[in-house]
Amino acid sequence: MTERSGHLVFVCLVSNFTESDCLIKTIRSEGYFGMYRGAAVNLTLVTPEKAIKLAANDFFRHHLSKDGKKLTLLREMLAGCGAGTCQVIVTTPMEMLKIQLQDAGRIAAQKKLMAAQAQLSSSSAAGAAEPVVEARTTATQITRELLRSKGIAGLYKGLGATLLRDVPFSIVYFPLFANLNKLGQKDPNVKAPFYVSFLSGCVAGSTAAVAVNPCDVIKTRLQSLQRGVNEDTYSGILDCTKKIWQKEGPMAFLKGAYCRALVIAPLFGIAQVVYFIGIAEFLLDILPKHRA
């Protein structure tokens, strides 16, 4: 399961389901490929998102170490903060569209279940009713509707919550990855083996994912435009946090943490191995030569 397909399970998890219950109900109501709602959006945008994140971190690390001194933990965190801030340019609309597509399936499944119950209760009196045909929502339709009704700001709904998640994630992830990766270096001037970068990415990614899971729960709730039966609406980050705490308790902020760690760990491990070829170092090395 990829990070992005796994997020469909996560959307259900933040809506009061357990991992196994969510998985079973999603497959039962939408089939196996229902797990991949929103995959097209992510396949299109996940590459630039990760490229911006990784390259921005290297860019800030490069400039923060210009004095020739070794990067302190504080400077590593500042570089991660800059990387997390830059990536939301792509992340926010990607998450927004992905969540709407996944919510469309969840809400449709709810309506289908309610319709089936209504048909069952009235079948003896009125006979069998015509089955309801679901109109499949596409990313293009959602984008057009958001742009028409709210302009470009519609795609950036939940920007504050996305920053609240992605900036702390990068502050935790990049320093942790860098220091774990250093443990596999036999010489400071020689890169660690690729498998060390992979394992470091896995550990750092899963740790950061669990650490910022409460922020991701809040972001997902805020970006869900469609609401199911008895689901709350939220006016902002504080309102969302308050309602979750009061109605579901503090443990609600950890819903989906296991799932997120499970899917994000290999994603960042693979991303770091791909990045192992040193694209950022190459670019940062030749840019001063071109300027000269």
Side-chain angles (χ1 to χ4, degrees), residues 223-276:
Q223 288 186 317
S224 295
L225 298 178
Q226 303 181 71
R227 302 291 174 184
V229 180
N230 299 323
E231 288 185 352
D232 285 319
T233 57
Y234 309 103
S235 60
I237 294 172
L238 292 178
D239 180 56
C240 182
T241 304
K242 181 181 177 181
K243 286 180 177 177
I244 293 173
W245 183 280
Q246 290 177 340
K247 296 185 178 182
E248 303 173 47
M251 291 305 295
F253 293 102
L254 294 177
K255 286 182 178 179
Y258 172 77
C259 182
R260 275 180 55 76
L262 185 66
V263 295
I264 286 179
L267 175 77
F268 276 89
I270 293 168
Q272 290 294 171
V273 168
V274 172
Y275 204 64
F276 181 77

Side-chain angles (χ1 to χ4, degrees), residues 28-106:
R28 185 181 296 165
S29 62
E30 302 179 61
Y32 175 76
F33 290 103
M35 300 290 294
Y36 288 85
R37 276 185 181 266
V41 174
N42 295 307
L43 286 172
T44 303
L45 297 177
V46 71
T47 300
E49 179 208 19
K50 290 296 177 284
I52 289 171
K53 180 195 283 279
L54 294 172
N57 179 67
D58 271 8
F59 175 81
F60 288 117
R61 288 177 70 91
H62 173 75
H63 284 278
L64 286 169
S65 62
K66 269 189 170 180
D67 56 6
K69 296 179 181 178
K70 181 182 178 182
L71 277 177
T72 62
L73 178 59
L74 178 60
R75 289 194 176 192
E76 288 183 329
M77 293 171 70
L78 284 173
C81 178
T85 303
C86 290
Q87 80 166 89
V88 297
I89 298 169
V90 176
T91 304
T92 305
M94 178 178 73
E95 293 276 319
M96 183 68 180
L97 293 174
K98 178 200 69 183
I99 289 170
Q100 303 326 307
L101 287 169
Q102 293 172 347
D103 268 352
R106 184 172 59 86

Side-chain angles (χ1 to χ4, degrees), residues 108-126:
Q110 266 191 3
K111 290 179 178 178
K112 192 183 297 183
L113 179 61
M114 292 174 66
Q117 290 173 342
Q119 287 175 11
L120 186 63
S121 62
S122 62
S123 59
S124 57

Side-chain angles (χ1 to χ4, degrees), residues 8-29:
L8 178 52
V9 176
F10 179 71
V11 169
C12 296
L13 291 173
V14 297
S15 301
N16 301 321
F17 293 104
T18 64
E19 282 92 338
S20 57
D21 185 50
C22 175
L23 182 65
I24 292 168
K25 286 182 177 178
T26 300
I27 295 175
R28 185 181 296 165
S29 62

